[in-house]
Amino acid sequence: MNLKVIAFDADDTLFVNEPYFQETEAKFCALMSDYLSYQGLSQQLFTTEVNNLDLYGYGIKGYTLSMIEAAMKISNKTLSVEVIDKIITLGKELLQKPIELLDGVEETLEALKGKYKLIVATKGDLKDQQSKLHRSGLGHYFHHIEVMSDKQELNYQKLLGRLEIEPHEFFMIGNSLKSDVLPVLGIGGYAVHIPFHTTWEHEKINHTVEHPNFRTLEKISDVLEILL
């Protein structure tokens, strides 16, 4: 490998994210429990959120709007202002969750610093992701922070164009096979999957990945055996 750029996903790769969304979903379902079962509420919220991705993109603000929309559908537009206010509060609480670094993250970044150009390549709301990286204390490790509207092959190709590198010079590390691995392999880059204990349903795939440019590792510090 003749690598120039090592890219890290942020949520559930550098720091905890999905468990906070699951916690918020549980509170939403408890709030709406008079209308449907937990499973029914969860499915309605998920369907609404996925249907809104083209409009809102990824992130907490879009998720909050989807909670409100799902609640309106579930209640047949009879929801009280008080309940809507509580849902907005859930969204605000989600935006203010503490930053919990995953094991080995800072040590790995410290070991790679100066040897490669390190960047963040993540999805979500720009302001929220910038805030999380600032609060994480990791920002100084990165040459570039890219908050992507999506993670398809075209999005990565545009990123590589801005970085002025070729696909074979790019190495992506993330917890999502769908977003962090498959599109990178598709354009000729290298990718490592570091599974997180929980994954958003929309990020799951139903097949295994086999490719010479791909590895699955148990923890983030294991990449040092490949890169150093």
Side-chain angles (χ1 to χ4, degrees):
M1 293 186 294
N2 183 27
L3 300 172
K4 292 184 178 179
V5 173
I6 311 300
F8 294 82
D9 176 51
D11 294 330
D12 299 323
T13 298
L14 299 178
F15 36 70
V16 172
N17 179 65
E18 180 59 22
Y20 292 147
F21 275 87
Q22 293 184 349
E23 177 186 309
T24 301
E25 180 181 317
K27 292 178 179 178
F28 171 83
C29 291
L31 190 62
M32 300 296 295
S33 60
D34 289 343
Y35 295 94
L36 287 173
S37 67
Y38 188 102
Q39 183 178 3
L41 292 165
S42 177
Q43 185 58 51
Q44 181 64 63
L45 176 57
F46 175 76
T47 300
T48 304
E49 187 180 5
V50 171
N51 288 344
N52 283 335
L53 285 176
D54 286 343
L55 283 174
Y56 302 149
Y58 296 85
I60 295 172
K61 294 172 187 175
Y63 181 70
T64 303
L65 289 172
S66 290
M67 282 196 290
I68 294 171
E69 181 180 337
M72 294 299 290
K73 289 179 181 176
I74 292 162
S75 68
N76 196 27
K77 298 184 179 180
T78 61
L79 210 61
S80 69
V81 173
E82 288 75 18
V83 173
I84 294 175
D85 186 61
K86 288 179 180 178
I87 293 173
I88 292 171
T89 298
L90 290 179
K92 288 182 177 180
E93 289 174 350
L94 192 52
L95 283 165
Q96 299 175 73
K97 289 293 184 181
I99 302 300
E100 182 182 347
L101 296 183
L102 297 180
D103 290 343
V105 165
E106 191 151 19
E107 296 86 342
T108 301
L109 294 173
E110 185 65 41
L112 294 174
K113 184 180 179 181
K115 298 176 176 65
Y116 299 93
K117 184 180 291 185
L118 306 182
I119 74 166
V120 172
T122 191
K123 293 189 295 192
D125 176 79
L126 177 61
K127 185 173 179 62
D128 180 39
Q129 292 292 19
Q130 288 178 334
S131 171
K132 286 194 289 188
L133 281 164
H134 173 73
R135 289 183 286 134
S136 74
L138 301 177
H140 66 283
Y141 288 109
F142 299 108
H143 173 271
H144 178 80
I145 296 171
E146 185 84 6
V147 181
M148 306 164 76
S149 60
D150 204 350
K151 283 184 169 179
Q152 305 291 334
E153 289 186 14
L154 180 60
N155 303 101
Y156 281 105
Q157 288 170 338
K158 289 179 178 179
L159 172 60
L160 267 57
R162 287 190 285 276
L163 295 169
E164 299 182 327
I165 61 170
E166 297 298 321
H168 67 271
E169 299 171 320
F170 182 73
F171 188 100
M172 181 71 197
I173 300 167
N175 69 296
S176 171
L177 290 169
K178 181 179 179 180
S179 293
D180 301 319
V181 171
L182 293 179
V184 173
L185 298 178
I187 64 172
Y190 293 85
V192 159
H193 179 227
I194 303 174
F196 191 61
H197 64 83
T198 183
T199 303
W200 184 33
E201 197 66 32
H202 187 62
E203 292 292 333
K204 294 180 180 179
I205 62 173
N206 57 8
H207 60 87
T208 58
V209 179
E210 294 185 9
H211 193 284
N213 292 4
F214 168 69
R215 292 277 298 277
T216 294
L217 301 177
E218 184 177 338
K219 56 187 184 298
I220 196 167
S221 58
D222 290 342
V223 303
L224 298 179
E225 298 177 13
I226 300 173
L227 298 173
L228 297 181

